[in-house]
Amino acid sequence: LPERDRTELKRRKLLLEVTLKSYWIRKGSAFSTAVARPETELTPEMIATGSWRQLPFKPYNFSSLGLPPACGHLHPLLKVRSELRQIFLEMG
């Protein structure tokens, strides 16, 4: 369609332009149907046999935050104080 006709049809909402994207996917040189899990730990057996040289290892993630430490408790007197406060608040 000419540009003038296209703009007129779009203005009247009789034409909807859609962009279609397509991709070609091919098998690369490293393609494999088996899922190979990389090693996460280096064991003494791997070092003794020398098998660690041929194994893929998972890279370290130095930017991860990790788990927060599970430590710390309320002091028993603070627990009693908060319970008393809650009781008095409920009483008005």
Side-chain angles (χ1 to χ4, degrees):
L1 288 174
E3 183 65 32
R4 195 180 84 172
D5 293 340
R6 265 198 323 221
T7 56
E8 179 65 26
L9 289 173
K10 275 197 255 182
R11 186 181 63 75
R12 295 170 57 191
K13 297 184 180 176
L14 297 174
L15 178 69
L16 177 66
E17 284 190 294
V18 177
T19 303
L20 181 65
K21 293 183 181 182
S22 62
Y23 299 96
W24 292 94
I25 299 173
R26 296 188 187 106
K27 294 179 185 178
S29 61
F31 176 78
S32 174
T33 57
V35 178
R37 295 190 59 166
E39 292 291 328
T40 56
E41 295 181 8
L42 183 63
T43 61
E45 292 82 24
M46 289 180 189
I47 295 173
T49 60
S51 64
W52 63 273
R53 290 185 180 100
Q54 288 83 23
L55 295 175
F57 284 92
K58 183 177 177 181
Y60 284 108
N61 183 4
F62 292 108
S63 62
S64 67
L65 298 176
L67 297 174
C71 63
H73 299 281
L74 285 178
H75 192 273
L77 291 177
L78 287 176
K79 286 184 184 180
V80 170
R81 187 174 99 185
S82 64
E83 288 175 14
L84 287 174
R85 173 183 256 168
Q86 188 63 33
I87 290 170
F88 286 129
L89 285 174
E90 289 173 0
M91 289 173 56

